[in-house]
Amino acid sequence: MFKCKTVWNKLAPLARASSMLCLQNARKSALRHGRRLEMVQKAQMSSGSAGGGGENTLYYVLIGATCLGAGVYAYRTVSGDKERYNERMIEIASRPKQDQTFLCFAHSVALEPVAEEPLVTEADVESTETEPVAEAPVTEPIVEASIPEPTVESPIREPVVEASVTEPVAEAPAVAQSEEPLAPVVESEPTPVIIAEHVPEALSGSESGKTADSKAAPAAEPVEPTAAPSDVPEHAPYLLIGGGTASFAAARSIRARDPGARVLIVTEESDLPYMRPPLSKELWFSDDPKAIETLRFKQWNGKERSIYFQPPSFYVSPADLAKVENGGVAVLTGRKVVHMDVRGNKVKLSDGAEISYEKCLIATGGVPRNLQVIDRAGEEVMKRTTLFRKIEDFRSLEKISREVKSITIIGGGFLGSELACALGRRSTDIGLEVIQMFPEKGNMGKVLPEYLSNWTTEKVRKEGVSVITDALVKNVTYKNDKLEIKLKDGRLFKTDHIVAAVGLEPSMELAKSAGLEVDSDFGGYRVNAELQARSNIWVAGDAACFYDINLGRRRVEHHDHAVVSGRLAGENMTGAIKPYWHQSMFWSDLGPDVGYEAIGIVDSSLPTVGVFAKATAKDTPKAATEQSGTGIRSESETEAVAGALKAETTATPPPIQQEEDYGKGVIFYLRDQVVVGIVLWNVFNRMPIARKIIKDGEQHADLNEVAKLFNIHED
């Protein structure tokens, strides 16, 4: 096609000149013989007139000469171009092997900048290794595009087509096809610019001195940027985002109702689902030196247990999830869901992989807060600060506690007080100074009434902790290998390491992409009574903001809530349609001797009524776990216990003892004279009774009578 075009461009001017010459001769002849033009035309078409015959002969001669000359010119032009082409091929073949590879690679990048599937196969790579010159014609259009020769493009493509016939290489026809879209590129000459933009990206990470054989394989990398890893399934009927307690409870509930269910848990952590409470409690009191690695600990009742809910053998491989006969639960670790397409029912992971789903649970939990003064303090301060939440945080802090001389815990809530007691108890043995500071007047001052908070503070001090109350941190600096904590009242403390235990922020990163509603008051995803955020999306655990029919909208950050809400969400994902009416409980232990359980709204700003009695040897967390047989007390809860325990309250209790030694007791939290929260202080296995009191929502004239239900006066 290009040959014909070139020949036509050469012959067309000659043909037009010949036609004009013939027309002029005809007009002259007509004037010379005194005839009209029409008669001359008729004479030329006949064989009568001698003068007309001569003119026709001249016309035929001119036309023949023109055609012959054009043919000779075309032949010489094509022959010359072919000779130049062969010389160019010889020149390219004589270049170093490195230059050839660079041009071939650059051309492949310019050809396929947005290819969705790799066009470079293993066969292409082998062909490049065995025939290094076979792809030279492909690079030629790019090199010659910058040479201002008007006839270059036609001979360049001609040898490529011929090569597809004569060359035995199997890839040659594919290369010939790929030349078609290049036609406008060569004519407008933007090709050198494309090479300059793409080649550095394609060659990034490669040595410039590598040979063509070593560079041929990486050419396939740019065309597979979003290829899913082999261990990531493309589809999961039940997709659970987050690998904490709520996700595992949901997975177990789904499998219980649908034995053949295929459940995939995606977690950002590198560990299988595990329980978090022992990280700040029992693990610190273990006598086993291997407990840090094995994460096995002894409960207060002496029984050994693993922090993991199930061993690895319980789970199936994510790659085999779709193939196992009876379904199962798979855990995809070290992956984070960064985007949700709720219309397409799929999620995108941090590595670019996508997973489609039918039902989805968001149980992402939360991330620990940090003080702004620490965030602004600089890298050296951040390197010496622990935000305690995960297994690696526990292992890191345990190691640090054996290497430094001083640790300061900022925070007086559940986590801060538990860690202070745990570190304080071992401080004497390892020579560690433990400081706990918080803005309240006593430990757990936001939860417990002031008198009980003060008593708890003295208990923590007896564990070997220097408790600093009314402490508002102004700034933190790093000087002379020490962290200096300056309070707003001017007090200055020096320490080696800081543990920030100042609360939790619910993880809501998926709210924007998923279009889910976030509660502006409590945080978390707003859900309905069935824990649904959308028709096929549920939320459980710390990230769920649910409506409590007794207490209003709430968000709870405790183990029991994660267990129960996860279990209910799993049931509803299989079609149960159950409302969440459970009053979740939480507990905290200040060592094996002092512990409490709570339910409902426990806020020290509310009016409280406390009823206490003298404690006995069985009124400790250790004794409670020995009786229930489990270290996670919420696991032994059942609603049926309420009736049995209520029947034991017939005996008249002895007089109430209000002593400063608050051995055991019940604290009622009131709102509009209705009990909305209860704390059981060293009183265990009575939570179903407390739950029923809150559920009834009645006003009580004498809470001392209500306290009798908990049998706190029994010996």
Side-chain angles (χ1 to χ4, degrees):
M1 180 180 70
F2 292 108
K3 283 184 176 181
C4 295
K5 181 179 179 181
T6 304
V7 172
W8 171 253
N9 291 338
K10 299 295 183 179
L11 294 181
L14 296 176
R16 286 194 294 269
S18 300
S19 301
M20 292 298 297
L21 181 60
C22 293
L23 183 58
Q24 291 174 1
N25 292 336
R27 289 176 177 175
K28 291 178 181 180
S29 177
L31 293 174
R32 184 167 52 249
H33 294 282
R35 301 175 183 174
R36 289 183 300 175
L37 182 59
E38 293 80 4
M39 296 303 296
V40 173
Q41 292 174 349
K42 292 180 181 180
Q44 289 174 348
M45 296 298 293
S46 66
S47 58
S49 172
E55 298 291 340
N56 290 343
T57 302
L58 179 61
Y59 178 81
Y60 295 146
V61 171
L62 290 174
I63 292 298
T66 300
C67 294
L68 180 62
V72 172
Y73 180 85
Y75 176 80
R76 294 183 60 184
T77 301
V78 173
S79 300
D81 288 344
K82 190 170 184 179
E83 291 177 2
R84 287 195 300 273
Y85 172 79
N86 292 333
E87 291 174 359
R88 186 62 172 168
M89 293 299 99
I90 296 174
E91 179 185 354
I92 292 176
S94 63
R95 289 180 180 178
K97 197 173 186 180
Q98 174 184 352
D99 294 341
Q100 295 178 32
T101 306
F102 175 83
L103 290 174
C104 293
F105 194 176
H107 183 58
S108 66
V109 174
L111 274 175
E112 303 164 353
V114 293
E116 295 182 357
E117 296 183 0
L119 298 179
V120 181
T121 61
E122 294 181 1
D124 298 329
V125 176
E126 294 176 1
S127 173
T128 305
E129 294 177 353
T130 57
E131 298 286 340
V133 190
E135 289 196 32
V138 178
T139 63
E140 180 62 19
I142 298 176
V143 177
E144 291 293 333
S146 61
I147 300 176
E149 294 187 10
T151 59
V152 170
E153 58 175 358
S154 60
I156 289 178
R157 284 174 169 73
E158 181 63 24
V160 175
V161 177
E162 293 176 0
S164 66
V165 179
T166 58
E167 288 289 332
V169 183
E171 293 82 342
V175 174
Q177 289 180 355
S178 66
E179 289 290 331
E180 287 296 326
L182 277 181
V185 177
V186 175
E187 292 174 0
S188 58
E189 298 186 5
T191 307
V193 179
I194 295 178
I195 296 175
E197 292 177 353
H198 289 79
V199 170
E201 294 181 10
L203 297 178
S204 61
S206 302
E207 303 272 344
S208 59
K210 288 184 180 179
T211 62
D213 294 340
S214 64
K215 285 186 178 180
E221 293 181 1
V223 298
E224 291 186 354
T226 59
S230 58
D231 62 334
V232 179
E234 296 181 356
H235 179 74
Y238 295 95
L239 178 64
L240 314 182
I241 304 175
T245 302
S247 275
F248 180 79
R252 187 166 52 185
S253 179
I254 291 171
R255 291 281 296 170
R257 289 178 53 88
D258 183 2
R262 306 178 192 275
V263 183
L264 177 65
I265 298 176
V266 180
T267 173
E268 189 177 357
E269 297 188 48
S270 58
D271 296 285
L272 296 174
Y274 61 91
M275 61 185 79
R276 299 188 189 275
L279 295 178
S280 58
K281 297 182 177 72
E282 293 92 340
L283 275 172
W284 290 96
F285 297 90
S286 177
D287 297 328
D288 185 4
K290 297 182 180 179
I292 308 302
E293 299 300 326
T294 62
L295 297 175
R296 296 191 64 85
F297 62 95
K298 287 186 178 180
Q299 302 171 162
W300 301 141
N301 59 7
K303 295 181 180 180
E304 188 176 271
R305 182 174 183 177
S306 172
I307 194 175
Y308 295 102
F309 290 114
Q310 291 291 347
S313 58
F314 171 82
Y315 305 96
V316 301
S317 170
D320 298 333
L321 181 61
K323 297 179 288 186
V324 290
E325 183 177 356
N326 296 318
V329 179
V331 181
L332 194 61
T333 59
R335 311 294 173 86
K336 182 179 181 180
V337 176
V338 296
H339 186 272
M340 286 192 70
D341 181 2
V342 294
R343 293 184 177 180
N345 288 345
K346 61 183 179 181
V347 299
K348 185 177 181 180
L349 305 185
S350 53
D351 59 3
E354 291 187 348
I355 304 175
S356 60
Y357 61 85
E358 297 172 16
K359 306 289 181 63
C360 179
L361 172 70
I362 300 177
T364 49
V367 293
R369 292 193 189 103
N370 195 6
L371 294 173
Q372 292 184 359
V373 294
I374 296 179
D375 282 332
R376 297 193 300 260
E379 182 179 357
E380 291 298 329
V381 174
M382 286 298 299
K383 285 166 51 177
R384 293 163 176 81
T385 301
T386 295
L387 301 179
F388 197 88
R389 177 68 173 170
K390 305 176 182 178
I391 287 178
E392 52 263 36
D393 299 329
F394 161 72
R395 286 174 170 163
S396 174
L397 185 59
E398 200 281 334
K399 181 181 178 182
I400 291 171
S401 68
R402 299 182 183 278
E403 297 174 347
V404 301
K405 297 298 183 181
S406 173
I407 293 180
T408 297
I409 301 170
I410 301 178
F414 306 109
L415 179 61
S417 298
E418 290 172 359
L419 289 176
C421 289
L423 291 171
R425 178 159 291 201
R426 63 163 58 183
S427 61
T428 303
D429 298 334
I430 61 178
L432 176 67
E433 179 189 20
V434 181
I435 303 172
Q436 183 189 16
M437 59 176 59
F438 42 80
E440 295 81 28
K441 296 183 180 299
N443 285 79
M444 293 176 289
K446 293 183 178 180
V447 176
L448 302 177
E450 184 176 353
Y451 62 88
L452 193 57
S453 174
N454 294 336
W455 183 90
T456 305
T457 302
E458 294 303 318
K459 176 67 177 177
V460 175
R461 285 184 173 132
K462 291 179 182 179
E463 295 289 345
V465 181
S466 299
V467 181
I468 311 299
T469 63
D470 301 307
L472 292 172
V473 180
K474 182 178 181 180
N475 59 63
V476 181
T477 56
Y478 177 70
K479 295 180 181 179
N480 301 324
D481 296 331
K482 287 284 185 178
L483 294 175
E484 294 186 358
I485 305 174
K486 187 175 181 180
L487 305 182
K488 288 190 176 181
D489 58 8
R491 287 178 290 178
L492 183 67
F493 297 89
K494 295 183 179 181
T495 188
D496 296 318
H497 196 81
I498 292 176
V499 179
V502 292
L504 194 72
E505 286 287 348
S507 179
M508 300 177 293
E509 297 176 356
L510 299 176
K512 185 175 182 180
S513 62
L516 303 180
E517 183 181 4
V518 175
D519 190 88
S520 58
D521 297 326
F522 301 97
Y525 301 97
R526 290 176 68 99
V527 295
N528 63 12
E530 288 81 29
L531 301 180
Q532 274 186 307
R534 294 189 64 139
S535 59
N536 61 341
I537 299 178
W538 288 257
V539 186
D542 299 345
C545 185
F546 60 97
Y547 183 77
D548 189 317
I549 59 174
N550 298 113
L551 306 176
R553 188 160 291 278
R554 303 177 62 200
R555 190 178 65 83
V556 181
E557 300 173 355
H558 299 294
H559 179 84
D560 178 63
H561 169 68
V563 172
V564 179
S565 64
R567 182 171 63 229
L568 180 70
E571 293 179 359
N572 289 342
M573 291 173 76
T574 58
I577 318 179
K578 293 183 179 179
Y580 185 69
W581 289 349
H582 176 74
Q583 284 294 335
S584 61
M585 58 88 68
F586 60 93
W587 78 99
S588 179
D589 294 336
L590 304 179
D593 299 328
V594 177
Y596 64 91
E597 298 174 354
I599 189 174
I601 301 176
V602 286
D603 188 341
S604 60
S605 64
L606 294 174
T608 61
V609 174
V611 181
F612 292 89
K614 186 177 181 179
T616 63
K618 66 178 182 179
D619 298 320
T620 63
K622 181 177 180 180
T625 55
E626 289 175 351
Q627 180 179 352
S628 64
T630 175
I632 307 299
R633 294 195 289 277
S634 62
E635 294 178 356
S636 62
E637 272 199 284
T638 58
E639 295 291 343
V641 179
L645 294 175
K646 194 170 183 178
E648 298 174 2
T649 63
T650 56
T652 303
I656 297 175
Q657 302 179 18
Q658 293 285 1
E659 301 179 0
E660 290 189 3
D661 183 12
Y662 302 103
K664 65 178 179 179
V666 182
I667 302 99
F668 300 99
Y669 293 75
L670 306 176
R671 186 171 64 188
D672 299 329
Q673 298 182 352
V674 175
V675 177
V676 295
I678 297 176
V679 169
L680 303 181
W681 187 260
N682 271 345
V683 176
F684 308 101
N685 300 322
R686 301 290 193 274
M687 190 51 64
I689 300 175
R691 181 172 288 110
K692 187 177 187 305
I693 293 172
I694 294 179
K695 184 178 180 181
D696 291 342
E698 299 177 354
Q699 294 184 2
H700 299 277
D702 188 359
L703 290 175
N704 289 301
E705 293 296 324
V706 180
K708 295 177 182 179
L709 300 175
F710 297 94
N711 298 327
I712 62 174
H713 301 290
E714 290 185 348
D715 293 334

